[in-house]
Amino acid sequence: MSAGYKLNILCAQNLAELSRFDAEIFEQLYPANIHIINYQKETLWGRYLRVKSAIRLKLVNAGFIKSLKKYKWLAQSRMLPEMKFALKSIKTDLYIAHTVAAFPAAAWAAEYHHSKYALDAEDYHSGETNNIERQQIITALENEFIQNCAYLSTASPLSSEFYRKRYPEVKIITINNVFPFSHINSEGSTVSKPLKLVWFSQTIGLNRGLQEFIQALSALEFNLFELHLRGSYTEEVKSALLNYTTEEWKSRIFFYPQCSGIYLEEWLRHFDIGLALEHSGDLNKKLCISNKIFQYISAGLGVIATNTNGQKWVFDKTPGIGIVVREDDMGSAACQLAYWTENPETLETAKQQSVNAAKLIFNWDLEKNKLLEQISLISKN
C-alpha cells in the first residue's frame, strides 16, 4: 500500500482462538479491504459452512460430482466455491495466492476478470510429505496452475532452484520471509545472566527437535541458563518434554501460549539465543528456511540451528551469528552454550552479527523491492 497499490485481502478463518491475532494484523493493514470467509464452529454461519462443505466433499469423493470442473480441487481447497463467489466482486489487476489451497481460486479469479495471477509458494509444496499419493496430487495441482502464472515466488532460494528445474519457462523469484529492521535491536548486544534461550512455533510438539535438545541440556549447569518455549501445547506434551531432563532443569524451562506475531517480535528481544532445531524429514524441510531463524536475526539474537540445507544457506550468508549443528548432535549445541557462558564476549559478537545481518542483508525494507519490481513490470504490460 505504501507503494501506491490498492490492496484487497481474501482469507478464510476456521480457528476462533487465532482470530484475535488476525484482527491485530488487519489493523496494521488499514486501509486494505479485508474479506473474510468465516467457517468457525463457534458461529451459526460457520457451522452451516462446515456441514455444507463436508457434504459437498463427500459427494465429490464418492464420484457423484467429480466430473464437474469447478469441483476438481475441492479436496485441497475446502472453501473454494465460497472463495470464487467472493472473488466475483473483487476485481484487481493481479491476484496473488499465498497458499497452495488458494492456487485454484487465484487462477479462476484472473480468468473471470480477464486479469493475471501470481503464486507465492512459501514451501516446496509437493515435497511437504513423504506420502507418494499426496505428492502426486500436489504435483498435479502445481502443474496445472504454475505453468500459466505471471510469476512464482518462493521463500527459499533452494526451493526456487527445484521449481526452476520443473518450470524453466516460468518467472521464479525468491522473497525471503524477513522483517523490517528495527533500530531498537541495535542499541546493544549485552548478554543476560543466566543465558536466556528461546524457541517458538505455532505448536510445541514432540517432533520439533526439542526433546533431543532438552536432553542435552542436562549436561550443563542448570543455574546458568533458562529455556523459554512459546506455542500451543498440551499438558501431556509439556510433561513428556520435561521427562527428558533433570529435576533441577525442570525449574529452568518455561512454557508460554501462542501469541500474535506483533507481540512475538517485541518479546524475542529479551533473549540471548534463538533455537532453530528443524528436522529434515522430507524434501521441503531440507529446502525451506524457517521463519524463526529470520525472526531471531531480526531480534538480534545468537542462533543455534540444525544443518538443514536452507538453514545452512542462511549461515553461509551470515556465518558469525552462531553455530550450525547436526540434527543428531545436540551435544555440540550444549558445548557451544558452555563456551558462551565462559566467553560471553563471543556471544555478544554473535548477537551483533545478527543485528548487522538484520540491517544489511535480511531486511524487509530491502527484500520487498523484489516483489515491488515484479508487480511494477506486470502493471506496465
Side-chain angles (χ1 to χ4, degrees):
M1 290 180 295
S2 60
Y5 296 106
K6 183 179 178 181
L7 182 63
N8 286 275
I9 297 173
L10 173 63
C11 63
Q13 287 183 335
N14 71 324
L15 297 175
E17 62 269 24
L18 301 183
S19 59
R20 68 183 188 277
F21 302 149
D22 291 339
E24 291 183 25
I25 296 172
F26 295 156
E27 283 184 20
Q28 288 199 327
L29 292 173
Y30 179 84
N33 298 313
I34 310 296
H35 312 264
I36 301 173
I37 298 171
N38 186 336
Y39 64 108
Q40 298 169 10
K41 62 183 179 182
E42 288 77 10
T43 68
L44 181 61
W45 180 252
R47 290 194 292 273
Y48 164 73
L49 285 181
R50 282 171 174 261
V51 172
K52 177 183 177 181
S53 63
I55 294 173
R56 187 170 56 203
L57 185 57
K58 285 184 177 180
L59 291 173
V60 169
N61 290 338
F64 290 109
I65 54 177
K66 187 176 292 187
S67 60
L68 296 180
K69 181 180 179 182
K70 65 179 181 178
Y71 292 118
K72 181 177 181 181
W73 299 109
L74 193 63
Q76 288 68 49
S77 185
R78 181 174 180 175
M79 289 291 124
L80 182 56
E82 286 72 25
M83 294 177 72
K84 288 180 177 180
F85 181 80
L87 285 166
K88 285 182 178 180
S89 61
I90 305 173
K91 180 173 173 52
T92 71
D93 298 310
L94 178 66
Y95 297 88
I96 305 176
H98 289 281
T99 68
V100 69
F103 284 13
W108 178 89
E111 182 179 7
Y112 182 85
H113 291 291
H114 306 288
S115 184
K116 297 180 180 180
Y117 70 94
L119 306 175
D120 178 33
E122 188 173 35
D123 291 289
Y124 187 69
H125 293 298
S126 56
E128 287 184 282
T129 176
N130 292 320
N131 181 290
I132 300 301
E133 182 179 359
R134 177 66 179 168
Q135 285 179 0
Q136 291 173 341
I137 291 171
I138 299 302
T139 297
L141 187 152
E142 290 177 329
N143 288 343
E144 179 164 334
F145 298 109
I146 292 179
Q147 300 278 13
N148 299 311
C149 68
Y151 70 85
L152 171 72
S153 60
T154 81
S156 163
L158 305 180
S159 296
S160 292
E161 289 178 14
F162 269 70
Y163 275 121
R164 286 192 188 101
K165 291 176 183 177
R166 291 172 56 191
Y167 311 105
E169 304 303 319
V170 176
K171 175 67 176 180
I172 298 176
I173 61 175
T174 302
I175 303 175
N176 292 306
N177 283 334
V178 297
F179 302 86
F181 177 71
S182 172
H183 290 280
I184 296 174
N185 300 341
S186 62
E187 293 175 354
S189 300
T190 58
V191 172
S192 307
K193 289 185 178 181
L195 284 186
K196 295 183 177 181
L197 319 179
V198 66
W199 178 96
F200 74 91
S201 190
Q202 289 187 352
T203 304
I204 300 174
L206 300 178
N207 59 342
R208 317 304 298 271
L210 288 172
Q211 54 263 56
E212 297 90 345
F213 181 79
I214 289 173
Q215 190 171 34
L217 288 180
S218 301
L220 300 173
E221 288 290 334
F222 71 92
N223 59 339
L224 297 179
F225 303 93
E226 292 177 358
L227 174 59
H228 299 257
L229 308 175
R230 182 176 285 281
S232 299
Y233 64 92
T234 64
E235 287 301 317
E236 290 78 9
V237 166
K238 178 180 178 180
S239 177
L241 288 174
L242 292 178
N243 283 338
Y244 281 90
T245 192
T246 63
E247 289 300 319
E248 293 86 355
W249 258 104
K250 289 178 181 179
S251 65
R252 313 296 287 181
I253 301 177
F254 305 91
F255 291 76
Y256 306 84
Q258 187 178 358
C259 68
S260 71
I262 297 169
Y263 178 77
L264 179 68
E265 180 181 355
E266 190 278 331
W267 183 73
L268 286 174
R269 296 173 186 152
H270 301 287
F271 299 95
D272 299 296
I273 302 160
L275 306 171
L277 308 175
E278 312 307 312
H279 279 182
S280 55
D282 53 50
L283 178 58
N284 177 61
K285 288 292 186 184
K286 293 179 174 69
L287 302 179
C288 74
I289 303 172
S290 67
N291 288 345
K292 61 172 64 70
I293 196 168
F294 286 133
Q295 290 204 259
Y296 296 149
I297 291 171
S298 181
L301 309 186
V303 180
I304 294 178
T306 47
N307 63 336
T308 65
N309 293 341
Q311 295 191 152
K312 286 193 293 183
W313 180 88
V314 173
F315 271 76
D316 286 343
K317 300 291 183 182
T318 56
I321 64 173
I323 183 175
V324 175
V325 298
R326 296 197 320 270
E327 295 174 32
D328 61 352
D329 185 20
M330 289 297 112
S332 292
C335 289
Q336 183 65 36
L337 290 171
Y339 179 80
W340 274 335
T341 59
E342 296 167 3
N343 303 274
E345 71 282 358
T346 60
L347 178 53
E348 289 180 5
T349 299
K351 294 179 71 174
Q352 187 57 51
Q353 288 296 318
S354 279
V355 171
N356 296 341
K359 182 178 182 180
L360 301 175
I361 304 173
F362 300 124
N363 180 348
W364 178 246
D365 293 326
L366 304 175
E367 195 75 10
K368 68 181 181 183
N369 292 324
K370 301 177 187 177
L371 176 61
L372 294 176
E373 178 184 356
Q374 199 59 44
I375 293 175
S376 177
L377 289 173
I378 292 172
S379 66
K380 291 175 182 178
N381 294 332

